[in-house]
Amino acid sequence: MTNIVLFGPPGAGKGTQASILKDKYQLVHLSTGDMFRYNIKNKTELGKLAQSYTDNGKLVPDDLTIKMLNAEVDRYLPCKGFIFDGFPRTEAQAKSLDELMLEKSNVIDAMVALEVDDEVLVERLLERGKTSGRPDDANEKVIRNRIKVYYDETAILKSYYQQSDKYYGVDGVGSIEDITKRICDVIDKL
Ligand code: AMP
């Protein structure tokens, strides 16, 4: 299996790139943000619990997020591998993902991080908010809070993956095709 964590702040292009890469490498794309939005839309118990966090750009508690992600992984096995998009976002999630992979006799092969300046992120998210229908994209205050949460709680995962030489930074500015090529250059060398 090939298991990739696609990493980066909100608006870095993780979702766009993940949907291209999943076809190219025949991997399963798991986005915890999409899973929460699905549950919120369908008014499930999980959706009701998650909504107050997602609406304000805060992280949903680890126990809920981890349980949801683990169940999704099980649903798709056996497969050629996963692209994790938006997960892990905390050290507890990263550790739990390592344990989950180990249980399946597998590992995370790489964290590929899309690097984009904050002001470009805000611009992209406001633009996306015009059509995405996402409440957390519609408001600049919430967008800036999501970026802050990324730096406060998620960015430390860079050192978590660097410790095992699995961190690969990629320039996330340019055309979609150019960025895909930069990511593929990393994956093809794994
Ligand atoms: P995203 O689509 O990845 O930007 O996620 C949208 C929102 O879903 C985030 O702002 C969080 O509220 C929630 N969320 C998504 N993934 C996670 C995660 N791994 N841990 C906690 N909350 C998450």
Side-chain angles (χ1 to χ4, degrees):
M1 281 171 84
T2 304
N3 298 302
I4 310 286
V5 171
L6 203 53
F7 191 68
K14 300 186 291 293
T16 304
Q17 292 298 332
S19 62
I20 299 170
L21 297 168
K22 76 167 190 261
D23 291 338
K24 181 167 161 72
Y25 296 98
Q26 294 173 314
L27 302 175
V28 175
H29 171 204
L30 293 186
S31 155
T32 41
D34 285 349
M35 293 174 207
F36 286 127
R37 282 184 287 280
Y38 175 86
N39 278 280
I40 291 166
K41 193 166 160 231
N42 289 288
K43 299 192 167 52
T44 67
E45 274 313 302
L46 175 63
K48 284 178 202 158
L49 290 168
Q51 184 160 20
S52 62
Y53 299 96
T54 59
D55 277 357
N56 293 301
K58 292 185 186 153
L59 294 187
V60 178
D62 282 334
D63 53 345
L64 286 179
T65 308
I66 289 169
K67 208 168 136 208
M68 173 180 78
L69 188 277
N70 288 6
E72 279 298 285
V73 165
D74 277 338
R75 224 156 68 80
Y76 286 99
L77 285 170
C79 65
K80 287 193 168 183
F82 292 96
I83 302 178
F84 296 98
D85 160 10
F87 186 94
R89 265 174 154 100
T90 64
E91 193 164 317
Q93 292 180 14
K95 285 186 175 151
S96 131
L97 184 59
D98 281 345
E99 283 164 20
L100 180 71
M101 288 291 116
L102 199 64
E103 265 173 37
K104 318 285 178 202
S105 307
N106 254 287
V107 288
I108 294 295
D109 298 287
M111 165 183 265
V112 180
L114 295 174
E115 296 165 344
V116 180
D117 279 347
D118 291 359
E119 290 313 307
V120 177
L121 297 173
V122 175
E123 247 173 66
R124 283 188 188 176
L125 289 169
L126 282 171
E127 195 53 38
R128 184 170 84 183
K130 290 180 188 164
T131 53
S132 71
R134 284 180 54 168
D136 59 345
D137 284 346
N139 175 324
E140 184 164 342
K141 203 169 144 220
V142 175
I143 288 175
R144 291 202 182 268
N145 190 47
R146 287 162 63 202
I147 296 172
K148 182 177 182 304
V149 167
Y150 171 79
Y151 286 113
D152 289 351
E153 300 180 48
T154 302
I156 48 145
L157 291 184
K158 175 174 178 176
S159 58
Y160 183 90
Y161 285 92
Q162 273 175 333
Q163 278 163 23
S164 46
D165 284 330
K166 287 182 178 170
Y167 179 88
Y168 300 86
V170 164
D171 180 0
V173 180
S175 70
I176 292 176
E177 295 76 20
D178 285 349
I179 299 165
T180 306
K181 188 175 175 310
R182 289 174 204 147
I183 301 173
C184 292
D185 285 346
V186 172
I187 297 178
D188 292 340
K189 285 190 198 121
L190 289 174

